[in-house]
């Protein structure tokens, strides 16, 4: 049984609206990547709609407020953010 | 000076941040909320107000990085960027970018680069509150921006060429941004207005590919 820990996941804008919340504590096994976290988030918090699917697919990811690739491993206590296409300005 | 603020943007204070006795030019760009957006169909959509949200820590860091990068790329002296969060009424400014330099041309170039980068890269989002159609978070699709930003990150180039269907000259400074991988046209009325059959972005990607081939 691998070690498990929690990461804090933050959602914004349309993704937070779809999930109904903007922050989730997600329990993952040691060695999990950002992709694994997102997959779990998808199952646990987001509706199975085309809108949700396309927004997640279009999102970039950040660990502790810095962009990272989805293949990066996460660590205990980190903040993982999904960054859907931005629209500031 | 970088600020995310719930208060109206004070242009005088913004310009004060870039004032410098060695500078002969200051450029100020203001992004303002359109009440009316003309669609390709000719229909006009009325916006009641915009609501902005940010991933604050990340947005601040990124805006500071953009300012530093601009100072390395151009011989400019100062950069100041203020961005509104929360509710912004029509005709109010949601963003202000000020740049100063000894001579004017680099301030114009840097200011344009800064606002284009901001709109493609910085984690800030707007929610359009329409008079007629409720509210919708804006998440632009790739290829939907006509600026010459070299790339919405993670663009799937093979899809990009087929991404857009309807043509329009309608400008949409509110939201003309692209940072997405998926290419499904949005149902948002003024999203459609931004879609162009062969965007300048697509063309610049083609040009980039051509350059790489030549090397």
């Amino acid at each position: 049984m691998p070690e498990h820990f929690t990461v804090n996941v933050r959602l914004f804008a349309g993704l937070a609206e779809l999930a109904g919340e903007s922050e989730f504590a997600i329990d993952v096994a040691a060695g999990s990547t950002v992709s694994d976290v997102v997959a779990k988030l998808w199952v646990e918090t987001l509706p199975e709609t085309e809108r949700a699917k396309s927004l997640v697919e279009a999102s970039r990811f950040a660990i502790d407020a810095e962009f990272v690739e989805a293949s990066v491993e996460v660590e205990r206590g980190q903040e993982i953010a999904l960054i859907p296409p931005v629209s500031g300005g | 000076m970088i600020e995310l603020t719930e208060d109206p943007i004070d242009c005088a204070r913004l310009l004060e941040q870039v004032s410098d006795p060695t500078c002969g030019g200051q450029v100020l760009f203001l992004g303002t909320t359109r009440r009316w957006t003309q669609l390709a169909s000719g229909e006009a959509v009325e916006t009641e107000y915009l609501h902005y949200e940010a991933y604050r820590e990340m947005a601040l860091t990124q805006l500071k990085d953009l300012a530093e990068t601009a100072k390395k790329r151009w011989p400019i002296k100062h950069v100041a960027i203020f961005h509104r969060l929360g509710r912004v009424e029509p005709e109010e400014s949601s963003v202000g970018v000020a740049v100063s330099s000894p001579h004017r041309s680099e301030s114009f170039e840097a200011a344009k680069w800064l606002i284009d980068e901001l709109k493609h890269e910085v984690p800030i989002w707007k929610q359009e509150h329409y008079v007629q159609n409720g509210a919708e978070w804006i998440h632009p699709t790739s290829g939907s921006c006509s600026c010459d930003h070299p790339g919405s990150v993670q663009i799937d180039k093979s899809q990009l060429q087929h991404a857009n269907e309807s043509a329009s000259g309608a400008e949409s400074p509110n939201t003309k941004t692209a940072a997405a991988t998926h290419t499904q046209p949005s149902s948002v009325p003024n999203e459609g207005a931004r879609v162009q059959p062969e965007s300048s972005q697509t063309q610049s990607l083609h040009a980039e590919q051509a350059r790489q081939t030549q090397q």
Side-chain angles (χ1 to χ4, degrees):
Chain A
M1 191 64 185
E3 184 198 355
H4 274 245
F5 54 76
T6 307
V7 291
N8 183 38
V9 178
R10 291 185 66 177
L11 302 180
F12 298 93
L15 279 177
E17 183 178 62
L18 287 165
E21 299 271 350
S22 57
E23 285 196 58
F24 293 92
I26 300 284
D27 179 70
V28 291
S32 295
T33 63
V34 171
S35 275
D36 297 328
V37 174
V38 173
K40 198 151 188 224
L41 179 91
W42 169 255
V43 172
E44 292 180 6
T45 71
L46 286 162
E48 279 193 53
T49 61
E50 272 305 307
R51 166 83 168 162
K53 186 164 178 286
S54 66
L55 265 189
V56 170
E57 285 175 356
S59 292
R60 289 188 279 169
F61 312 108
I63 293 181
D64 293 340
E66 285 191 22
F67 281 123
V68 295
E69 298 296 324
S71 57
V72 171
E73 278 191 23
V74 299
E75 293 173 19
R76 181 188 302 273
Q78 282 180 330
E79 178 170 284
I80 318 296
L82 273 71
I83 313 287
V86 299
S87 55
Chain B
M1 163 72 81
I2 306 294
E3 277 188 17
L4 299 175
T5 174
E6 270 82 16
D7 300 323
I9 289 174
D10 180 342
C11 291
R13 194 168 69 82
L14 181 57
L15 285 171
E16 274 171 28
Q17 312 303 315
V18 302
S19 178
D20 189 298
T22 68
C23 289
Q26 296 179 346
V27 165
L28 171 64
F29 171 80
L30 296 175
T32 54
T33 300
R34 273 190 309 281
R35 180 181 294 282
W36 296 102
T37 299
Q38 192 83 18
L39 302 185
S41 63
E43 184 192 358
V45 174
E46 185 174 7
T47 297
E48 187 184 357
Y49 66 94
L50 299 178
H51 177 88
Y52 283 90
E53 173 183 297
Y55 183 5
R56 273 178 180 266
E57 311 90 289
M58 187 168 177
L60 283 170
T61 305
Q62 286 211 315
L63 288 169
K64 283 174 188 158
D65 287 350
L66 286 181
E68 288 311 307
T69 304
K71 285 186 198 169
K72 286 182 190 136
R73 285 183 62 164
W74 287 275
I76 55 178
K77 278 281 185 178
H78 303 283
V79 172
I81 303 172
F82 293 175
H83 201 299
R84 290 281 294 276
L85 296 178
R87 179 171 172 142
V88 181
E89 303 291 337
E91 297 179 63
E92 286 187 356
S93 298
S94 53
V95 62
V97 176
V99 181
S100 63
S101 51
H103 304 283
R104 67 185 178 284
S105 62
E106 42 268 37
S107 279
F108 277 110
E109 288 175 22
K112 181 179 186 313
W113 180 83
L114 282 163
I115 186 63
D116 287 348
E117 289 290 318
L118 183 155
K119 290 176 76 90
H120 285 277
E121 297 292 330
V122 178
I124 300 174
W125 297 269
K126 68 164 65 72
Q127 187 183 40
E128 290 251 12
H129 289 253
Y130 302 107
V131 171
Q132 308 290 340
N133 304 319
E136 177 133 29
W137 284 103
I138 305 300
H139 295 294
T141 53
S142 61
S144 61
C145 182
S146 61
C147 85
D148 51 9
H149 185 276
S152 316
V153 232
Q154 299 183 359
I155 280 179
D156 180 337
K157 294 177 185 176
S158 63
Q159 285 184 21
L160 185 62
Q161 295 170 35
H162 309 292
N164 305 319
E165 293 166 358
S166 62
S168 165
E171 272 292 286
S172 182
N174 265 8
T175 53
K176 53 172 202 177
T177 307
T181 49
H182 73 104
T183 53
Q184 187 180 346
S186 164
S187 58
V188 183
N190 65 2
E191 284 285 297
R194 277 176 267 140
V195 172
Q196 299 178 355
E198 176 79 355
S199 70
S200 57
Q201 186 177 35
T202 314
Q203 288 163 359
S204 68
L205 280 168
H206 290 168
E208 183 60 36
Q209 285 169 327
R211 276 197 294 278
Q212 286 170 356
T213 309
Q214 284 161 7
Q215 280 167 4

